[in-house]
Amino acid sequence: MTSSIGDSIHLSLFGESHGPAIGVVIDGLAAGIPLDLDQLQAQMEKRRAKGRLSTARQEGDQVEIQSGFFQGHTTGSPLCLLIRNQQQHSRDYEATKTLLRPSHADFTAFEKYGGFQDYRGGGHFSGRITAPLVAAGAVMLQILAAKGIRVGTHIARCAGVDDRPFPSGEPQLTQAIAALDQAPFPVLDREQGDAMAAAIEAARLEGDSVGGVLETAVTGLPTGVGEPFFHSVESVLASLLFSVPAVKGVEFGLGFAMSDLRGSQANDPFQMDGGRIRTATNHNGGINGGITNGMPLLVRTAVKPTPSIYKPQQTVDYARRENATLVIQGRHDPAIIHRARVVVDSVVAFGLCDLCCRRFGTLWQLEGFPRAFDRGPDLGV
Amino acid sequence: MTSSIGDSIHLSLFGESHGPAIGVVIDGLAAGIPLDLDQLQAQMEKRRAKGRLSTARQEGDQVEIQSGFFQGHTTGSPLCLLIRNQQQHSRDYEATKTLLRPSHADFTAFEKYGGFQDYRGGGHFSGRITAPLVAAGAVMLQILAAKGIRVGTHIARCAGVDDRPFPSGEPQLTQAIAALDQAPFPVLDREQGDAMAAAIEAARLEGDSVGGVLETAVTGLPTGVGEPFFHSVESVLASLLFSVPAVKGVEFGLGFAMSDLRGSQANDPFQMDGGRIRTATNHNGGINGGITNGMPLLVRTAVKPTPSIYKPQQTVDYARRENATLVIQGRHDPAIIHRARVVVDSVVAFGLCDLCCRRFGTLWQLEGFPRAFDRGPDLGV
Amino acid sequence: MTSSIGDSIHLSLFGESHGPAIGVVIDGLAAGIPLDLDQLQAQMEKRRAKGRLSTARQEGDQVEIQSGFFQGHTTGSPLCLLIRNQQQHSRDYEATKTLLRPSHADFTAFEKYGGFQDYRGGGHFSGRITAPLVAAGAVMLQILAAKGIRVGTHIARCAGVDDRPFPSGEPQLTQAIAALDQAPFPVLDREQGDAMAAAIEAARLEGDSVGGVLETAVTGLPTGVGEPFFHSVESVLASLLFSVPAVKGVEFGLGFAMSDLRGSQANDPFQMDGGRIRTATNHNGGINGGITNGMPLLVRTAVKPTPSIYKPQQTVDYARRENATLVIQGRHDPAIIHRARVVVDSVVAFGLCDLCCRRFGTLWQLEGFPRAFDRGPDLGV
Amino acid sequence: MTSSIGDSIHLSLFGESHGPAIGVVIDGLAAGIPLDLDQLQAQMEKRRAKGRLSTARQEGDQVEIQSGFFQGHTTGSPLCLLIRNQQQHSRDYEATKTLLRPSHADFTAFEKYGGFQDYRGGGHFSGRITAPLVAAGAVMLQILAAKGIRVGTHIARCAGVDDRPFPSGEPQLTQAIAALDQAPFPVLDREQGDAMAAAIEAARLEGDSVGGVLETAVTGLPTGVGEPFFHSVESVLASLLFSVPAVKGVEFGLGFAMSDLRGSQANDPFQMDGGRIRTATNHNGGINGGITNGMPLLVRTAVKPTPSIYKPQQTVDYARRENATLVIQGRHDPAIIHRARVVVDSVVAFGLCDLCCRRFGTLWQLEGFPRAFDRGPDLGV
């Protein structure tokens, strides 16, 4: 398998940037989940390129459900979500198809697929393939929300500018997550966000690009989710996060900074908190031994600067085996960090749903949703 | 599945710190690999606790092969490697079994397993369970070495002290890896290593512990290994690295630092290098689009300080639901970073073998080994 | 996972009888396979209902490739094959939706999915979902054919009428497979086929249905394919064959009849045959210890009579919990055995491709295909 | 993977007939299952060779638990069950190691493993490897029994002699299963059993062997277990049954006989039965659309005659590539059908547990067991 993942819930991703359509098959959903399709489409909007900070390629990204959905609910059969490609400018790629774009997958795709890959727009390696990930994630986020589990991501750092950190109190954190959900540029501190936007714009004007760090919090998770060793929460989420193009680092809780502390500083002391066992600090990011401890889950994701820049770059012509200079054409983002946050939310939500189903069974998916009695007494179910 | 992993090669890990034995079943090995059992045992030695920097618990860690090995070669059937536990001091854990050790898996194990977990020494969550991982890794490292693929790890940082970075030239890097293999305390700069050891000793005297960062390099990898999205090299290796107890962060190439660069700084320009296509820099750590590009693979792993410290800690008695003070008994390491490096080498080697088999097939495992003609002409094979 | 299968090559099936579309994602194909789309569509034709022996529902079953195919070859990315539903008469099912059709999945779907299943036309349980299986199988059959591996199925028995058995000689068998490929009603003995058709017609006139036994042969398989125990050739193929609706029995070689023989009668003696080791008889159907021995693979599949009959049937109204009489409306086949053969060919081909890839690696898929040099010297590949 | 299977519960089988030990790792068990080790050992006894009808090789088959079990309960970590080999007569195999035993895996093992396989006693292909399957099955049968789910197998046919069929009433069937559990030679009709035993003895005296058909019934299964298509109950159970050495056919309900009926004869009419929906007949063997319908599950398994016979056999010397005559030495069974029944019970139980966990979650395993309060109030759990 390559573009397939998951145990209890299984994703099979397909599509290329300039092919007819992209999409995902989600296998393992319970029957009876009342999907909110408007909310699903709203998630797609968050990923879409908009404004000066983004590429000029504008796709509608309308999700068409092909199967697994009937009378407003999931059917229990595989849910196929399809998104048609519309705005391809394939000719942009013809002239330079053997000029390897640095930090892109052009070279490795040639080596792996021998020239048979769809090279247009990066093919299956395109960031565009994150659109079906977001569609799948929208389903997962609805499942989690029904249980009071909230996932939110802010731009913790971009182009050298830091956002304010997440609040440490859980109610405040949940509130911050709700606010981020509506924000077009997801930061906690509006002024810092403006400084980031200015830095992105400066890079754009120079034909350059910037990266950043996304920080994700999850509140409301039950304890006991995740498995020791290979299916630890960290293993599962990191595996998914590193599948997102441009991600080069993942850390949980204090992460790399934790390795500089002493045990007496790093350990999270347990304490009684109104009948609940909680930790006084949360340096471990809500995970001990690979398993959720009921504290907010915290994970940070490093996103490298967009590889597509307009500055001339030294490279190689793969066919001629000669050094060459590349000037990238096409429409490209000076930053993807603000668009990537919904992708990060999506894969985190998927990983957590998969792990929760493993622990609590497929029928856990239905918890928190109102049972549907509106389908007529003749069904009696 | 919980403690099982792998596609082409499959690991099934078992055992608890104070049970009869720990071990691993490796399914998917080709027949005819001439395993060097001395080398395997030498790897076990590297993981073993030794000297003042480590716990006083001394285990022989003799690997007993139960199956899959016959007349000096793998048989193609599952290889079961068993290690008996010998030095358990189980009574150390009786008195405090409901006192949750901070930053350990005690609380999450109670929540997940309802008190049925083997609480002695951390049970299945114990760092001791990395011993079979090292045994499996020793097999993988031999398979990789036969193809000229070398894996090595140094302590890049410990207790605030930095080691010298890996050399950037590939021949020098391969040489550095070879030197690390023999080093009892794996650093590139001996003086910095002494400073780290001094800092660990200082922590030990205070009943405290330290963490650090491991940096791993792999040379000799072919191009085209890894799959887009969910089985990218980064996804597979991160998933394995985060399954190692105490790991809280993983980054490839420049990692988090890359997110502060502009695209024009971060991109690795391609250039012809004597007929081969290589990159001038290696900020992406040998991976583009989740697939190896033939440059050295570079990954850094953050290890948190050992949670077991001798200082009194605030915690909770799980049974009485009361705040309590914990003073940990038993034998514990003030640092595990120097022992963890062989675990990191092992899981990286496993992940790469699994991905190479996926790409090149199971019989790839046999490449580079001398064919065995010494079993008699009567077999004729 | 539910509707997903495969290790080296992975299928994810989706769709419901009366939804917008049905299809399959095939993940794990090598890049560079020159798919013959006409042949693919010809396979779809074989599965389609035609003539008096079949349902009056007529679907075009045009396969639309959404991804993974570019310039006449597979790209190495997931291949998504989509088939739009066109001829749904959904109203046929409204009146009787809570009347459980005997031997169908109506009752079990209600119990499992709580009424949220798409009940129209059997939903995901419909025989219609075998159409994407056939599309996937067409790809697999092309991969096998390039290596000289041929798969063919005849109706060994239908409505009490037996076809002539497969010839035992391998060249004759390969010839018989080629003849079957073109036959609209796949039998070896034309007269026996006519007798079967007459029996089907007789059942149709009585509003009844018939079943039968399909026998499949595969020639040209290499030795050593399949794994001991859980991924034996028999395990993998049986698992796939039993996933085809209406299949109730699977046997390899002599199968059930073998259990009546003595060892001295049943054993297949080995003998030298012009430098090759072969067996004098083939009672084991080409498989020893779960692994191919180079002899033709033989498997027989029992297909129950189509459950949809026009005779009134006693049943239960699921909603009212009352006994009831059901008179099935809609368009139904008096026999599916002649349409099922291409489904059987397809899943057998998929299982063998998956096992061969596991043994020989993904790049095995390209063996036997002409390398494509027609994409221009500028690519140089 | 080769000798690994399962989704929610995962088995990893290891061992060779003449190696140090054989065993299995079971990953995915819930914590807190009070395993009855005497019952587990009693299952091992049923598989052991005894009396004139069986081989003279006598193994104690004592199961040693290496991990995953503590204070009388499963811990939730992988359960490793180990059985030491003791009675190997490895010299029996030296002289004839390149003489291929007909209908055994000798030839295919040579072709697949190139002579590196452990050829002694069939190595990993030996029927002896079913011992850990039985150990794993004993755990599964205890889990099922706690929910009132009973699994039982009788010899439906052996050496041409038929046993009485299973009773059709469910209470009578459950009673028959209970009686079979205690029977040394598992038949429903004692006289028919005597006739079978006489036929086996007759074959033994001639140095020959016999096969047979096992019929398995399961009562007490909930509805809704199993998944459409690739993880149908039939697919999962057939895959497991065909992994048992010597199995050549599997059929559910009426199986092959069903293909001779008309739809009006074969369909199982639904009817109300005291508030429950049941079928009047059970031709489908308790499965519709791959999913349990609450009726008894019925499956029949064809076992070929033991390939090891004492009569001289024509064969080939693999090394010399010459025709040869083989006279098998060693200790062999004239029939294995009576020993195979507990293997069949075991794999059926495993498959059903795995499917039930997929549907109801891992914690389903604990249903029906008394909660353990005997571990002291200090744990409070």
Side-chain angles (χ1 to χ4, degrees):
Chain A
M1 288 164 277
T2 61
S3 302
S4 309
I5 196 77
D7 280 292
S8 299
I9 308 177
H10 185 268
L11 293 190
S12 193
L13 201 64
F14 63 87
E16 280 130 341
S17 182
H18 291 226
I22 57 180
V24 65
V25 180
I26 312 174
D27 192 359
L29 291 177
I33 303 171
L35 288 186
D36 181 333
L37 301 187
D38 291 337
Q39 206 171 48
L40 189 154
Q41 202 59 45
Q43 286 296 106
M44 301 306 291
E45 279 302 300
K46 289 187 200 163
R47 199 204 70 90
R48 277 183 63 203
K50 273 170 303 202
R52 280 182 317 180
L53 303 182
S54 304
T55 168
R57 178 174 176 181
Q58 294 296 325
E59 292 276 7
D61 284 354
Q62 186 67 35
V63 175
E64 301 173 20
I65 300 183
Q66 301 298 318
S67 66
F69 192 71
F70 182 53
Q71 297 183 338
H73 298 77
T74 57
T75 63
S77 299
L79 183 75
C80 176
L81 306 176
L82 197 86
I83 303 157
R84 274 165 224 286
N85 287 323
Q86 298 172 312
Q87 284 263 329
Q88 309 99 315
H89 289 191
S90 301
R91 298 233 178 106
D92 291 351
Y93 296 91
E94 273 303 314
T96 57
K97 68 183 172 188
T98 62
L99 289 187
L100 306 174
R101 291 172 302 159
S103 280
H104 269 289
D106 296 353
F107 174 61
T108 51
F110 265 116
E111 292 286 299
K112 190 173 185 73
Y113 303 120
F116 291 103
Q117 73 275 16
D118 184 347
Y119 51 80
R120 299 168 300 168
H124 188 57
F125 294 90
S126 167
R128 177 144 181 77
I129 314 306
T130 59
L133 276 181
V134 170
V139 174
M140 303 303 148
L141 287 163
Q142 291 185 29
I143 292 172
L144 293 174
K147 287 107 192 128
I149 303 170
R150 305 286 166 181
V151 181
T153 297
H154 73 119
I155 306 174
R157 184 173 170 87
C158 176
V161 182
D162 285 310
D163 192 16
R164 185 195 308 157
F166 268 132
S168 59
E170 194 159 342
Q172 295 84 340
L173 184 51
T174 300
Q175 211 168 358
I177 291 173
L180 286 168
D181 190 46
Q182 304 303 325
F185 193 81
V187 286
L188 299 172
D189 184 319
R190 181 85 195 133
E191 286 182 28
Q192 295 303 91
D194 290 344
M196 290 177 194
I200 297 172
E201 175 64 8
R204 190 183 70 84
L205 292 174
E206 296 181 43
D208 216 332
S209 65
V210 302
V213 176
L214 293 169
E215 184 174 36
T216 305
V218 186
T219 58
L221 272 174
T223 62
V225 176
E227 307 290 331
F229 289 96
F230 307 120
H231 291 84
S232 73
V233 174
E234 288 122 326
S235 288
V236 168
L237 295 189
S239 169
L240 287 159
L241 288 165
F242 276 116
S243 72
V244 178
V247 170
K248 297 302 280 189
V250 170
E251 59 182 2
F252 292 86
L254 290 188
F256 278 87
M258 200 166 179
S259 67
D260 266 356
L261 300 183
R262 284 213 174 163
S264 57
Q265 300 166 307
N267 287 355
D268 296 310
F270 288 102
Q271 59 186 24
M272 291 309 301
D273 179 8
R276 267 178 81 195
I277 298 173
R278 293 172 64 82
T279 58
T281 52
N282 189 17
H283 301 150
N284 281 287
I287 307 166
N288 288 143
I291 296 170
T292 55
N293 65 11
M295 297 295 292
L297 191 152
L298 296 170
V299 55
R300 289 161 58 92
T301 306
V303 179
K304 71 179 184 185
T306 326
S308 291
I309 56 176
Y310 291 101
K311 293 188 167 182
Q313 297 182 83
Q314 291 308 305
T315 190
V316 157
D317 184 313
Y318 188 81
R320 298 188 185 164
R321 308 265 149 173
E322 285 176 4
N323 288 330
T325 299
L326 170 72
V327 180
I328 288 183
Q329 307 297 326
R331 303 153 296 176
H332 305 289
D333 294 326
I336 55 161
I337 189 91
H338 54 302
R339 298 174 63 196
R341 65 104 173 213
V342 65
V343 183
V344 163
D345 281 348
S346 295
V347 299
V348 166
F350 171 71
L352 293 174
C353 276
D354 194 26
L355 287 170
C356 284
C357 285
R358 184 202 294 267
R359 171 123 179 91
F360 303 116
T362 299
L363 301 178
W364 163 85
Q365 294 174 29
L366 298 175
E367 288 178 20
F369 285 113
R371 280 289 282 147
F373 290 112
D374 55 351
R375 299 178 63 191
D378 56 330
L379 266 182
V381 291
Chain B
M1 287 164 277
T2 61
S3 303
S4 309
I5 195 77
D7 279 293
S8 299
I9 309 177
H10 185 268
L11 293 190
S12 192
L13 201 63
F14 62 87
E16 281 131 339
S17 182
H18 290 227
I22 57 181
V24 65
V25 180
I26 312 174
D27 192 359
L29 292 177
I33 303 171
L35 288 186
D36 181 332
L37 301 187
D38 292 337
Q39 206 170 46
L40 189 155
Q41 202 60 45
Q43 286 296 103
M44 300 307 291
E45 279 302 300
K46 289 187 202 163
R47 200 204 69 91
R48 277 184 61 203
K50 272 170 305 202
R52 280 180 318 178
L53 302 183
S54 304
T55 167
R57 178 174 175 182
Q58 294 297 326
E59 293 275 6
D61 284 353
Q62 186 66 38
V63 174
E64 301 173 20
I65 300 183
Q66 301 297 318
S67 66
F69 190 71
F70 182 53
Q71 298 183 339
H73 298 78
T74 56
T75 63
S77 300
L79 184 74
C80 176
L81 306 176
L82 197 86
I83 303 158
R84 275 165 223 288
N85 287 322
Q86 298 173 313
Q87 285 262 329
Q88 310 98 316
H89 289 191
S90 302
R91 299 234 176 107
D92 291 350
Y93 296 90
E94 273 303 314
T96 57
K97 69 184 171 188
T98 61
L99 289 187
L100 306 174
R101 292 173 301 159
S103 280
H104 269 289
D106 296 352
F107 174 60
T108 51
F110 264 117
E111 292 286 299
K112 190 174 184 72
Y113 302 121
F116 291 104
Q117 74 274 18
D118 184 347
Y119 51 80
R120 299 168 302 168
H124 188 57
F125 293 90
S126 168
R128 178 144 180 76
I129 313 306
T130 59
L133 275 182
V134 170
V139 174
M140 303 302 149
L141 287 163
Q142 291 184 30
I143 291 172
L144 292 174
K147 286 105 193 133
I149 303 170
R150 305 286 165 180
V151 181
T153 297
H154 74 118
I155 306 174
R157 183 172 170 88
C158 176
V161 182
D162 284 311
D163 192 17
R164 185 196 308 157
F166 268 130
S168 60
E170 193 159 342
Q172 295 84 340
L173 184 52
T174 300
Q175 210 168 359
I177 290 172
L180 286 169
D181 190 46
Q182 304 303 324
F185 194 82
V187 286
L188 299 171
D189 184 319
R190 180 86 196 132
E191 285 181 30
Q192 293 304 90
D194 291 343
M196 291 178 193
I200 296 173
E201 175 65 8
R204 189 184 70 82
L205 291 173
E206 296 181 42
D208 214 333
S209 67
V210 302
V213 175
L214 294 169
E215 185 174 35
T216 304
V218 187
T219 59
L221 273 175
T223 61
V225 176
E227 307 290 330
F229 289 96
F230 307 120
H231 290 85
S232 73
V233 175
E234 288 122 325
S235 287
V236 169
L237 296 189
S239 169
L240 288 160
L241 288 165
F242 276 116
S243 72
V244 178
V247 169
K248 296 303 280 189
V250 170
E251 59 182 3
F252 293 86
L254 289 188
F256 277 87
M258 201 166 179
S259 67
D260 267 357
L261 301 181
R262 285 212 172 165
S264 57
Q265 300 165 307
N267 287 356
D268 297 310
F270 289 101
Q271 59 186 22
M272 292 309 300
D273 178 9
R276 267 179 80 194
I277 299 173
R278 295 171 62 82
T279 59
T281 51
N282 189 18
H283 301 151
N284 281 287
I287 307 166
N288 288 143
I291 296 170
T292 56
N293 64 11
M295 297 296 290
L297 190 151
L298 296 170
V299 55
R300 289 161 56 92
T301 306
V303 178
K304 73 179 182 184
T306 325
S308 292
I309 56 175
Y310 291 102
K311 291 188 170 181
Q313 296 182 84
Q314 290 309 303
T315 190
V316 156
D317 184 314
Y318 187 81
R320 298 187 185 165
R321 307 268 149 172
E322 285 176 3
N323 288 329
T325 299
L326 170 72
V327 180
I328 288 182
Q329 306 297 326
R331 301 153 297 176
H332 304 288
D333 293 326
I336 55 161
I337 189 92
H338 54 300
R339 299 174 62 196
R341 66 102 173 215
V342 66
V343 183
V344 163
D345 281 348
S346 296
V347 299
V348 166
F350 171 71
L352 293 174
C353 276
D354 193 26
L355 286 170
C356 283
C357 286
R358 185 203 294 268
R359 172 124 177 87
F360 303 116
T362 298
L363 301 177
W364 163 86
Q365 295 174 28
L366 298 175
E367 286 177 21
F369 286 113
R371 281 288 284 146
F373 290 112
D374 54 351
R375 300 178 62 191
D378 55 341
L379 266 182
V381 289
Chain C
M1 289 163 277
T2 61
S3 302
S4 310
I5 195 76
D7 279 293
S8 300
I9 309 176
H10 185 268
L11 293 190
S12 191
L13 201 63
F14 62 88
E16 281 130 340
S17 183
H18 290 226
I22 57 181
V24 64
V25 180
I26 312 176
D27 192 358
L29 291 177
I33 303 171
L35 288 186
D36 181 333
L37 301 187
D38 292 337
Q39 206 170 48
L40 189 154
Q41 202 60 45
Q43 286 295 106
M44 301 307 290
E45 280 302 300
K46 289 187 200 163
R47 199 203 70 90
R48 277 182 63 203
K50 272 169 304 200
R52 279 182 317 179
L53 303 182
S54 303
T55 168
R57 178 174 175 181
Q58 294 297 326
E59 293 275 8
D61 284 354
Q62 186 67 35
V63 175
E64 300 173 20
I65 300 183
Q66 301 298 318
S67 66
F69 191 71
F70 181 54
Q71 297 183 340
H73 298 78
T74 56
T75 63
S77 300
L79 183 74
C80 175
L81 305 176
L82 196 87
I83 303 158
R84 276 165 223 287
N85 287 322
Q86 297 172 313
Q87 284 262 329
Q88 308 99 314
H89 289 192
S90 301
R91 298 231 177 110
D92 291 351
Y93 296 90
E94 273 303 314
T96 57
K97 68 182 172 190
T98 61
L99 290 187
L100 306 174
R101 291 173 301 159
S103 281
H104 269 288
D106 296 352
F107 174 61
T108 51
F110 265 117
E111 293 285 300
K112 190 173 184 73
Y113 302 120
F116 291 102
Q117 74 275 15
D118 184 347
Y119 51 80
R120 299 167 302 168
H124 188 56
F125 294 91
S126 168
R128 178 144 181 77
I129 313 306
T130 60
L133 275 182
V134 170
V139 174
M140 304 302 148
L141 287 162
Q142 291 184 29
I143 293 172
L144 292 174
K147 287 108 192 127
I149 302 170
R150 305 285 167 181
V151 181
T153 297
H154 74 118
I155 307 175
R157 183 173 171 88
C158 176
V161 182
D162 285 311
D163 191 17
R164 186 196 307 157
F166 268 130
S168 60
E170 194 159 341
Q172 295 84 341
L173 183 52
T174 300
Q175 211 167 359
I177 290 172
L180 285 169
D181 189 46
Q182 304 303 324
F185 194 82
V187 286
L188 300 170
D189 184 320
R190 182 83 195 133
E191 286 182 29
Q192 294 303 91
D194 290 345
M196 290 177 194
I200 296 172
E201 175 64 8
R204 190 183 69 83
L205 292 174
E206 296 181 42
D208 215 334
S209 66
V210 302
V213 175
L214 293 169
E215 185 173 37
T216 305
V218 187
T219 59
L221 273 175
T223 61
V225 176
E227 307 291 331
F229 289 96
F230 308 120
H231 291 85
S232 73
V233 175
E234 288 123 324
S235 288
V236 169
L237 295 189
S239 169
L240 288 160
L241 287 165
F242 276 115
S243 72
V244 178
V247 169
K248 297 303 280 189
V250 170
E251 59 182 3
F252 293 86
L254 290 188
F256 278 87
M258 202 166 178
S259 67
D260 267 356
L261 300 182
R262 285 212 172 164
S264 57
Q265 300 166 308
N267 287 355
D268 296 311
F270 288 101
Q271 60 185 22
M272 293 308 301
D273 178 8
R276 267 179 79 193
I277 298 172
R278 294 172 62 82
T279 58
T281 52
N282 189 17
H283 300 150
N284 282 287
I287 307 166
N288 288 143
I291 296 169
T292 55
N293 65 11
M295 298 295 292
L297 190 151
L298 296 170
V299 55
R300 289 161 57 92
T301 305
V303 178
K304 72 179 183 185
T306 326
S308 291
I309 57 176
Y310 292 101
K311 292 188 170 181
Q313 297 183 84
Q314 291 307 305
T315 190
V316 157
D317 184 312
Y318 188 80
R320 298 188 184 164
R321 307 267 149 171
E322 285 176 3
N323 288 331
T325 298
L326 170 72
V327 180
I328 288 182
Q329 307 297 326
R331 303 153 296 176
H332 305 288
D333 293 326
I336 55 161
I337 189 91
H338 54 300
R339 299 174 62 194
R341 67 102 173 215
V342 66
V343 183
V344 163
D345 281 349
S346 295
V347 298
V348 166
F350 171 71
L352 293 173
C353 276
D354 194 27
L355 287 170
C356 284
C357 286
R358 185 203 294 268
R359 171 125 178 88
F360 304 116
T362 298
L363 300 178
W364 163 87
Q365 294 173 30
L366 297 175
E367 287 178 19
F369 286 112
R371 281 290 283 147
F373 290 112
D374 55 351
R375 299 177 62 190
D378 55 342
L379 266 182
V381 290
Chain D
M1 288 163 276
T2 61
S3 303
S4 309
I5 195 79
D7 279 293
S8 300
I9 309 177
H10 184 269
L11 293 189
S12 192
L13 202 63
F14 62 88
E16 281 131 340
S17 182
H18 291 226
I22 57 181
V24 65
V25 180
I26 312 175
D27 192 359
L29 291 176
I33 303 172
L35 287 186
D36 181 332
L37 301 186
D38 292 338
Q39 205 171 47
L40 188 154
Q41 203 59 46
Q43 286 296 103
M44 301 306 291
E45 279 302 301
K46 289 188 201 162
R47 200 204 69 93
R48 277 184 61 204
K50 272 170 304 202
R52 280 180 318 177
L53 302 183
S54 305
T55 168
R57 178 175 175 181
Q58 295 296 325
E59 292 275 7
D61 284 354
Q62 186 67 37
V63 175
E64 301 174 18
I65 300 183
Q66 301 298 317
S67 66
F69 191 71
F70 181 54
Q71 297 183 338
H73 298 77
T74 56
T75 63
S77 299
L79 184 74
C80 176
L81 305 176
L82 196 86
I83 303 159
R84 275 164 224 288
N85 287 322
Q86 297 173 312
Q87 285 262 328
Q88 309 98 314
H89 290 190
S90 301
R91 300 232 177 109
D92 291 351
Y93 296 90
E94 273 303 314
T96 57
K97 69 183 171 188
T98 62
L99 289 188
L100 305 174
R101 292 172 301 159
S103 280
H104 270 288
D106 296 353
F107 174 62
T108 51
F110 264 117
E111 291 286 298
K112 189 173 185 74
Y113 303 119
F116 290 103
Q117 74 274 17
D118 184 347
Y119 51 81
R120 300 168 301 168
H124 188 57
F125 294 90
S126 168
R128 178 145 181 76
I129 313 306
T130 59
L133 276 183
V134 169
V139 174
M140 303 302 149
L141 287 163
Q142 291 185 30
I143 292 172
L144 293 175
K147 287 104 192 134
I149 303 170
R150 306 285 166 180
V151 181
T153 297
H154 75 119
I155 306 175
R157 183 172 169 89
C158 176
V161 183
D162 284 312
D163 191 17
R164 185 195 308 156
F166 268 131
S168 60
E170 194 159 339
Q172 295 84 340
L173 184 52
T174 300
Q175 210 168 359
I177 290 172
L180 285 169
D181 189 47
Q182 304 303 324
F185 194 82
V187 286
L188 300 171
D189 184 319
R190 180 84 195 132
E191 284 182 29
Q192 294 303 90
D194 291 344
M196 290 177 193
I200 297 172
E201 175 64 9
R204 189 183 71 83
L205 291 173
E206 295 180 43
D208 215 334
S209 66
V210 302
V213 176
L214 293 169
E215 185 175 35
T216 305
V218 186
T219 59
L221 273 175
T223 61
V225 176
E227 307 290 331
F229 288 96
F230 307 121
H231 290 85
S232 72
V233 175
E234 287 123 325
S235 287
V236 169
L237 295 189
S239 169
L240 288 160
L241 288 165
F242 276 115
S243 72
V244 178
V247 169
K248 297 303 280 189
V250 169
E251 58 182 3
F252 293 85
L254 289 188
F256 277 87
M258 201 167 179
S259 67
D260 267 356
L261 300 182
R262 285 213 172 164
S264 57
Q265 301 165 308
N267 287 355
D268 297 309
F270 288 101
Q271 59 186 22
M272 293 307 300
D273 178 7
R276 267 179 78 194
I277 298 173
R278 293 171 64 80
T279 58
T281 51
N282 189 18
H283 301 150
N284 281 288
I287 308 166
N288 288 143
I291 296 170
T292 55
N293 65 11
M295 297 295 292
L297 189 152
L298 296 170
V299 55
R300 290 161 57 92
T301 306
V303 179
K304 73 179 182 184
T306 326
S308 290
I309 57 175
Y310 291 101
K311 291 189 170 181
Q313 296 182 84
Q314 289 309 305
T315 189
V316 156
D317 184 312
Y318 187 81
R320 298 186 184 166
R321 306 268 149 170
E322 286 177 1
N323 288 330
T325 299
L326 169 72
V327 180
I328 288 182
Q329 306 298 325
R331 301 153 297 175
H332 305 290
D333 293 326
I336 54 160
I337 189 92
H338 54 301
R339 298 175 62 196
R341 66 103 172 214
V342 66
V343 183
V344 163
D345 281 349
S346 296
V347 299
V348 166
F350 171 71
L352 293 174
C353 276
D354 194 26
L355 286 170
C356 283
C357 286
R358 185 203 293 267
R359 172 124 177 88
F360 303 116
T362 298
L363 300 178
W364 163 86
Q365 294 174 30
L366 297 175
E367 286 178 20
F369 286 112
R371 282 290 283 145
F373 290 112
D374 53 351
R375 301 178 62 190
D378 56 342
L379 267 183
V381 289

